[in-house]
Amino acid sequence: MGNTPKKMKSVSQKQTREGYAFILPAFIYLLVVVGYPIVYNFVLSFKDLNVQNFKLGTSKFVGFQNYAEILTDPKFQLIFRNTIIFTVVCLVFQFSVGFLLAIFFSKKFTLAGPVRGLLLIGYMMPMSVTGLLGQNIFSNTGLVNDLLSKIGIAGPEWLVNTHTALIAVIIMNCWVGIPFNMLLLISGLTGISPEIYESSALDGATKFQQFRYMTLPLMKSSIAATLMLGFIYTFRAFDLMYIMTSGGPLNSTDVLGTYSYELSFTQFQFSKGSTVAIILFICLFIVGLFYLRLLMKEDEE
């Protein structure tokens, strides 16, 4: 009997070692594929590395000079504004429509499953395919202008007009994001017991009161997670803009992702491209900390 605690401790230590052995490959993979590029990018943002001194290895540390030049550049300020507008509009529209669809499809009715599956096609398609599809839909002879012409409206040149190009990209991104929001919010709705609604209905609660005082509070975690993931995916968008408009016309659809790519691989200003990427990372990191703070506050309550 005296050896029992020692045996239990030995078994516990063995299970702990086995657990670490299982997560070690994933940890090494993340360290190499994610950790090293972030650290290297961070170091690169404090250097003056371009196509001229890259091969010679004569780049030097310049401190915060790259950050000062980028943050005071009117072009960067325009692109940062584009990123904020694109993210906020997409989030509001995707979440609102996704929530309505989630409430609708959480009800049991005929063909609910197949129709919901059809709506998920946009989310399951690769973003490159979505970009090519959007390019065709919003071209001068595309679907949108064709439908407008049939009702007597002359459609604009969506992708070459500075006032409409971002709208076209937002529409295509929402087409992908709405099913994603719907899918996450449905999982939260199905976790709410129907008995709660039945009890409140017996007490005289209206549908609006049930939604405001029961559905929303009970879905707080699902809503926060959906908005958080939606912000991350939208704020770091790259491929959709790059394929549909390449950031044009006149940088009207450029966002931080496309601008970082342009600086690094078109203008070969590697340090400035890294600086924009780090600014993008910092923005997402701050939002991530805010989300973790909300989770901790919720756990305390």
Side-chain angles (χ1 to χ4, degrees):
M1 294 292 291
N3 294 329
T4 301
K6 292 182 178 179
K7 289 182 179 179
M8 292 177 63
K9 185 177 181 180
S10 177
V11 171
S12 176
Q13 290 175 343
K14 183 180 178 182
Q15 291 176 341
T16 302
R17 288 194 296 269
E18 289 176 350
Y20 282 125
F22 277 114
I23 67 173
L24 184 61
F27 176 75
I28 294 174
Y29 173 81
L30 288 174
L31 197 63
V32 174
V33 176
V34 179
Y36 173 73
I38 291 176
V39 173
Y40 181 76
N41 230 26
F42 186 76
V43 173
L44 198 60
S45 68
F46 291 100
K47 301 174 74 175
D48 179 24
L49 183 65
N50 52 51
V51 71
Q52 294 178 341
N53 57 32
F54 177 76
K55 188 174 182 180
L56 298 175
T58 57
S59 62
K60 58 181 181 180
F61 280 90
V62 293
F64 289 94
Q65 180 180 332
N66 289 323
Y67 289 91
E69 291 178 0
I70 287 293
L71 292 173
T72 55
D73 184 3
K75 183 177 179 180
F76 172 81
Q77 294 169 6
L78 168 66
I79 289 168
F80 190 80
R81 188 186 68 181
N82 289 344
T83 307
I84 296 297
I85 292 173
F86 174 76
T87 303
V88 171
V89 174
C90 284
L91 270 184
V92 170
F93 194 77
Q94 289 173 180
F95 181 80
S96 302
V97 179
F99 206 162
L100 290 174
L101 289 174
I103 294 172
F104 179 72
F105 284 109
S106 64
K107 310 297 182 183
K108 294 181 180 179
F109 60 91
T110 307
L111 298 178
V115 175
R116 186 170 59 188
L118 287 173
L119 289 176
L120 290 174
I121 291 176
Y123 170 64
M124 293 186 293
M125 288 174 61
M127 191 61 79
S128 56
V129 176
T130 303
L132 291 172
L133 184 62
Q135 206 174 42
N136 290 321
I137 289 175
F138 288 99
S139 65
N140 293 340
T141 57
L143 176 64
V144 174
N145 280 354
D146 183 57
L147 292 175
L148 290 174
S149 65
K150 289 181 178 178
I151 58 175
I153 300 175
E157 297 182 339
W158 291 90
L159 301 180
V160 295
N161 188 319
T162 55
H163 300 292
T164 57
L166 188 60
I167 296 174
V169 176
I170 287 173
I171 291 172
M172 291 308 299
N173 190 72
C174 288
W175 186 62
V176 176
I178 288 172
F180 173 73
N181 280 256
M182 179 189 72
L183 197 63
L184 292 179
L185 293 169
I186 281 179
S187 62
L189 284 170
T190 53
I192 301 175
S193 174
E195 296 176 358
I196 298 176
Y197 294 108
E198 293 173 2
S199 300
S200 63
L202 291 174
D203 292 334
T206 63
K207 293 291 183 182
F208 178 76
Q209 290 173 329
Q210 289 177 342
F211 177 77
R212 181 178 177 182
Y213 297 107
M214 298 171 62
T215 303
L216 289 180
L218 291 172
M219 286 192 64
K220 189 189 298 183
S221 298
S222 298
I223 291 172
T226 302
L227 291 174
M228 174 66 182
L229 291 172
F231 182 89
I232 291 173
Y233 291 148
T234 308
F235 196 82
R236 65 177 180 83
F238 164 76
D239 36 11
L240 185 63
M241 289 83 167
Y242 188 76
I243 292 170
M244 284 186 66
T245 61
S246 297
L250 299 176
N251 304 111
S252 60
T253 59
D254 251 331
V255 290
L256 292 179
T258 56
Y259 189 45
S260 176
Y261 179 87
E262 178 190 341
L263 288 171
S264 298
F265 302 110
T266 303
Q267 301 180 17
F268 302 110
Q269 299 181 36
F270 304 115
S271 291
K272 288 189 176 180
S274 296
T275 302
V276 175
I278 291 299
I279 292 172
L280 172 60
F281 172 77
I282 291 172
C283 292
L284 294 178
F285 185 72
I286 292 172
V287 173
L289 289 178
F290 177 72
Y291 176 65
L292 290 176
R293 182 177 176 83
L294 285 179
L295 290 180
M296 292 173 62
K297 186 177 179 181
E298 187 177 339
D299 290 338
E300 290 174 358
E301 293 175 354

